[in-house]
Structures are given as structure tokens and as C-alpha cells.
Amino acid sequence: MAARLRAIGRAALYGVAAGLVGTAAMTAGELVEQRMTGRQDSHIPARTLRILAGRPTSDSDDYPVWNHAMHWLTGAALGALRGVWSVTGIRGPSATTAHAVVRLAFDQTLENATGAGAAPSLWPAGEKAIDYLHKGVFAVVTGLASDAMNRPVLVSQAGARSH
């Protein structure tokens, strides 16, 4: 069991790196999209992190450092998850699809639980599509990097027929 835990820890660390690569790709894509569409930065991630940290926040203030911190910390944390998935055999397109959903759900759970953001059902359709696209880029790039760095050495056959 100790060897398995070491492999999972190593995969999680590689996943952090993959998540940072995915965040870089997502951020670059957002910058290109914003230049093309004129869409302003969202400051909801910053407000979410400030609320979680017990810091004051305002709807009229921008917190660019906090915004980046939230993006990169989320990417690293969810990259670690993807790394564990990769080493245990949860890989490829189906894992990437699931990971995109996890990324969206994670963001929305924190943003709505803290009161920093509105539920996606209240967003304009165009903004929702843009957010889904960017989170999809994160998931694809993170998944490709994680699957490349983490061989599926911990695939278990236990319970293969129980589902």
C-alpha cells in the first residue's frame, strides 16, 4: 500500500504541473477571446477567494492579483485530481469531459456558496458559452499533459464487473 500511495502522491504532483499548464492555456485563450470580443475581465474569482480568506470585498473594486491567485490555485488543485485519475486509469476523452464538468462545478460551487457570483442559469447565453469553452480548454490541455506525465500504472481490476 505504501508504494501505491507514493505513486498517487507523485501523480498528484505531476497533475499540479499539468493543471498549471492547462491554466496557462486557458488564460492565453481568455486574453485572445477578450481582445476579439471586448469582454471585460470577470472579478468574481477574486471576490470568491477574498471571501474565503475573510478579506473585505466590493463589487466596484478589482483585485487582479487575487483573480490570478484563484485561477492558478484552482488549476493546480484540480490538476492534482486529474493526475490521480491518470495514474489509476481514468484517462482520455471521457476523463477530460468529466474533468471539464468538475472544473465548472468547482468554480460555481465556491462562487455561489460564498455569494460572490450568480448561478449560470442567470447568465446571458453568450457568457455561459464562453465560460464553458475556456473551462473545456483547461480540461483538454490539463488532461493531455497529465496523461502524458502519468502512466496508468495503478489500474485495478477489482470491481470491474460490479458496475
Side-chain angles (χ1 to χ4, degrees):
M1 186 62 179
R4 189 172 185 86
L5 289 175
R6 280 192 302 278
I8 288 171
R10 186 172 42 256
L13 287 175
Y14 288 151
V16 167
L20 294 175
V21 171
T23 301
M26 180 180 73
T27 302
E30 286 173 336
L31 291 173
V32 169
E33 173 266 316
Q34 286 176 312
R35 286 198 176 104
M36 290 174 52
T37 65
R39 184 178 64 83
Q40 298 296 310
D41 284 339
S42 169
H43 299 288
I44 301 302
R47 290 188 193 112
T48 302
L49 184 57
R50 288 181 66 85
I51 290 167
L52 290 169
R55 301 292 304 265
T57 186
S58 163
D59 286 342
S60 62
D61 290 335
D62 296 339
Y63 308 100
V65 171
W66 288 82
N67 223 38
H68 277 283
M70 186 64 170
H71 276 298
W72 293 94
L73 288 170
T74 299
L78 296 180
L81 173 67
R82 188 62 171 83
V84 173
W85 287 6
S86 294
V87 79
T88 59
I90 305 169
R91 306 169 61 85
S94 62
T96 295
T97 301
H99 198 232
V101 172
V102 167
R103 175 62 199 248
L104 287 160
F106 183 86
D107 287 355
Q108 289 309 308
T109 299
L110 290 181
E111 291 171 7
N112 287 278
T114 60
S121 61
L122 301 174
W123 301 359
E127 286 190 28
K128 197 179 321 186
I130 287 169
D131 192 50
Y132 292 0
L133 172 68
H134 292 309
K135 297 313 188 308
V137 167
F138 166 80
V140 167
V141 173
T142 300
L144 289 170
S146 180
D147 286 353
M149 288 188 274
N150 292 297
R151 293 182 310 117
V153 297
L154 298 180
V155 178
S156 173
Q157 296 298 316
R161 296 187 181 264
S162 69
H163 299 290

